[in-house]
Amino acid sequence: MTALHPSYLSALLERGTGPCPLGVYLPAGYPSLGGCGAVLERAVREGGASFIELGVPTYTPHLDGAAISQAHHQAMREGTDMVGVLTLVAQLAPVAPVVVMSYARPVLRYGIERWAEALAYAGAAGCMLADLPEDEAISWHAAAAAYGLHAPRLLEATAREARVVRLSSAATGWIYLPAAAAVTGYQGALDPLELARRCAHVRLHGGPPVVCGGGISTPELAADLAPLADALVIGSPLVRELLDDPGPRGADAAVHLVRQYTRALHQAITPHRSRPGPETGSPG
């Protein structure tokens, strides 16, 4: 089977109207290498998810909360390395667009150019380095572009104006906005008005589509946020189901939960969102 081209993901996020796409995230190798691929494939085929985020496991996931941190550690104990991540990318890329999510350190250790080439060969649509140092950003974006990969960027809730402008211009594929100013796994209340303001701010600078995740702990919250973002991503809700039971029942529960999210998004009101052109905004 042939991997879906990165342009497929671009078209998905530039939808304008229709249900808000849902992405699903798991650290590669959690709950096992085979189990991870099976759950994510079922989340697309049975649950209705539109794209996949695949995490590179690390022992120090400092932006993640307890659930995803446990999943990272379990994946590391399973022996998941960069080759294992690439194997899963190749397995899943024909099913749905796959964007790899990583902390910068594993990629810098592997080699930026080498990693971009390997991802492209495996069929990935892109890769986001969550804590990418600014002094490595030019090299990473150049390598991603050279191999036809999207290079999304994480824009923190506390980002200053200069960083908003810089990342809106540099990011390709999407800008990732956390729905909550907290580590992943947050289960409290969200502020849709504040998130709407942040989404609009990015769009005014002519940036790529806006994807929100982190803190979208229920299908009802997803429906509330659907009119604001170009896509949503869930990770911790799936991980929690698998932490309760890493076997078949946990996998079934995770897929059922994805189906609840996609059903909520299909029922949500998602108005057309026009993107600013040269008259209303331009990249930084």
Side-chain angles (χ1 to χ4, degrees), residues 109-138:
R109 188 166 56 238
Y110 192 86
I112 283 177
E113 187 85 14
R114 181 184 172 207
W115 181 240
E117 181 181 16
L119 283 175
Y121 184 79
C127 177
M128 185 177 89
L129 304 183
D131 57 348
L132 180 65
E134 284 305 315
D135 59 357
E136 300 285 356
I138 292 176

